[in-house]
Amino acid sequence: GLEIKENTLSWDAVDCADHCYYRVFASIEKNFIPSLENQIASTVAEEIPIENADLYYKVLSVDNSGNV
């Protein structure tokens, strides 16, 4: 569940023992494929500030081995 409120993108925390951090992606296209070119952040938090609420966002969990 992604949510944008007051220039902040937030999401539900991952409840997994192997979870390490999140990768955040954005695009002008709705059905985009996450890639290094559209990655906007890496974070351990469940929210980040954003400048453009009109973009489409995806958040992926990364485990301790680097797997998405």
Side-chain angles (χ1 to χ4, degrees):
L2 295 177
E3 180 179 49
I4 297 174
K5 189 183 235 180
E6 299 178 9
N7 293 331
T8 299
L9 175 69
S10 61
W11 53 89
D12 297 334
V14 171
D15 185 23
C16 180
D18 284 358
H19 170 74
C20 188
Y21 68 96
Y22 301 97
R23 289 184 184 162
V24 184
F25 305 86
S27 176
I28 59 172
E29 306 215 6
K30 184 176 184 175
N31 294 316
F32 72 97
I33 297 172
S35 68
L36 288 177
E37 289 79 27
N38 54 32
Q39 183 174 335
I40 61 167
S42 293
T43 182
V44 295
E46 283 85 32
E47 65 179 30
I48 62 165
I50 58 169
E51 295 180 12
N52 189 345
D54 295 328
L55 295 176
Y56 294 97
Y57 293 91
K58 293 184 180 185
V59 177
L60 300 178
S61 171
V62 180
D63 68 14
N64 290 327
S65 299
N67 299 312
V68 176

